[in-house]
Amino acid sequence: MRGTAEELLGLLRDWDAADDPAPLSVDTSGSTGPPKRVLLSRAAMRASADATQARLGGPGQWLLALPPTYVAGLQVLFRSVRAGTPPVQTGDGIAAAAARLDGDRRYLSVVPTQLVRMLHSDAGSLRRFDAVLVGGARLDPVLRSRAEAAGVRVVATYGLSETCGGCVYDGVPLDGVRVATADDGRVLIAGPVLFDGYDGQPALTAQVLVDGWLRTQDLGRLDGRGRLEVLGRADDVVVSGGVNVPAAAVASTVRDHPGVRAAEVVGAPDDEWGELVVAVLVGDVPLDDLRDWVGDRHPRSWAPRRVVPVEALPLLPNGKVDRVALQRLAAGAP
């Protein structure tokens, strides 16, 4: 979908009221590769929006802080349609926008980077919300603890464009959604929120939609209570010197270093090692110190062999980390 928030809101109102509308066509973010167009039926979008508001305690008024053309921002608008409440945009900042909310219940959806910035600029405004949904990327436990210590009611969400956005809240699937893991550890999702397929790509659709289950690219596990823990992407493994290095686990450890403000870990091609483990980070930490830090907590073979310092991690328009750009930085490409 294309257009301003106001234009899309009007289109969504008409779409929700239509007799038999065609599915929405929504671009994926392209954070790990070429974007695709996902087809989302009205039934799936309604199931997602209604189950979300039921889980949060009832319909409410939403603050739009995400691009409205991607699924997370689009869902903020569609939940507003379903709730019959006018959304408010953050064009003039979180404090001014939050002050304009007058609904009985107030909700906000952000990515982790936005939460960091909002905590720094105006944590008080975040306390006005009955729930602050954080998705689109892994929510660092330290960041969550900071937010909760400031009185912010955080809900960590997991989902994809193919599931109409977040469908698992704090590890628990929304009503009607089922979650399982395959033999290879991939997260499987079923239920009324699933997409109809990729626009013009039936073969790709058949690869990921199997017997009513969406086969994701994410690895996960279910704890004893059936809660989902997402461990990282199946393709987020760096094979260095014949050793499989889980990039997400190494990145989490790198972020714990007191000299690091933000970091991601990716692989870079190398003639000797096959791939090098590379830390792209905001901070000033010598490579040897970082290798010792990681080696003290994981196998030494997991430690980064290259550090790329940056002023800020590259982000996509929707706030997600741009992993394609990260890989270019790791490889030394301009």
Side-chain angles (χ1 to χ4, degrees):
M1 295 189 74
R2 296 287 187 273
T4 66
E6 292 81 3
E7 291 168 342
L8 291 175
L9 186 62
L11 290 172
L12 288 171
R13 287 188 177 122
D14 293 341
W15 185 70
D16 189 49
D19 289 337
D20 186 20
L24 300 178
S25 177
V26 180
D27 289 341
T28 62
S29 65
S31 59
T32 58
K36 301 175 286 292
R37 288 187 174 178
V38 171
L39 299 176
L40 302 176
S41 70
R42 182 176 63 183
M45 287 287 286
R46 282 179 173 177
S48 174
D50 295 351
T52 289
Q53 298 188 137
R55 177 63 57 85
L56 296 178
Q61 188 177 25
W62 288 83
L63 183 61
L64 177 63
L66 297 165
T69 53
Y70 292 110
V71 72
L74 194 67
Q75 270 290 20
V76 168
L77 297 179
F78 192 63
R79 291 168 192 151
S80 301
V81 170
R82 297 294 291 168
T85 56
V88 171
Q89 298 187 59
T90 57
D92 50 357
I94 178 68
R100 295 200 303 276
L101 293 166
D102 56 10
D104 292 335
R105 299 186 65 81
R106 303 174 179 89
Y107 301 128
L108 172 65
S109 181
V110 296
V111 298
T113 301
Q114 290 174 301
L115 180 60
V116 170
R117 294 170 179 171
M118 289 176 178
L119 282 174
H120 178 72
S121 63
D122 197 344
S125 294
L126 293 176
R127 290 193 288 270
R128 293 174 53 88
F129 294 93
D130 293 275
V132 175
L133 278 58
V134 186
R138 172 184 177 273
L139 175 58
D140 192 294
V142 174
L143 174 57
R144 179 168 194 156
S145 295
R146 279 182 53 207
E148 291 177 339
V152 182
R153 292 172 286 278
V154 173
V155 178
T157 72
Y158 167 73
L160 306 90
S161 299
E162 293 87 340
T163 61
C164 295
C167 63
V168 179
Y169 284 18
D170 285 332
V172 179
L174 294 177
D175 293 346
V177 176
R178 292 173 290 152
V179 174
T181 54
D183 291 341
D184 61 0
R186 292 181 190 241
V187 176
L188 306 176
I189 302 174
V193 301
L194 290 190
F195 74 136
D196 287 353
Y198 296 114
D199 191 8
Q201 296 182 278
L204 182 58
T205 300
Q207 288 179 20
V208 301
L209 277 181
V210 181
D211 296 329
W213 290 87
L214 172 67
R215 181 177 173 84
T216 76
Q217 292 296 314
D218 297 310
L219 300 175
R221 63 186 173 203
L222 299 174
D223 66 15
R225 297 177 296 169
R227 290 177 178 264
L228 175 67
E229 179 185 359
V230 179
L231 304 175
R233 289 183 58 84
D235 56 3
D236 197 13
V237 174
V238 180
V239 183
S240 184
V243 176
N244 291 341
V245 181
V250 177
S252 179
T253 300
V254 170
R255 285 190 287 264
D256 288 339
H257 191 287
V260 174
R261 297 190 293 281
E264 294 290 344
V265 169
V266 294
D270 183 77
D271 291 340
E272 179 181 359
W273 294 94
E275 284 186 292
L276 290 181
V277 180
V278 181
V280 181
L281 57 84
V282 181
D284 184 16
V285 182
L287 176 60
D288 288 345
D289 289 357
L290 194 63
R291 285 182 54 79
D292 290 343
W293 177 266
V294 173
D296 286 344
R297 293 156 179 79
H298 300 296
R300 184 75 179 185
S301 56
W302 291 15
R305 295 184 177 275
R306 181 185 299 163
V307 169
V308 179
V310 293
E311 292 294 322
L313 295 178
L315 301 178
L316 294 164
N318 63 355
K320 288 185 180 182
V321 173
D322 186 341
R323 299 196 69 82
V324 174
L326 283 178
Q327 289 166 345
R328 287 199 298 264
L329 287 169

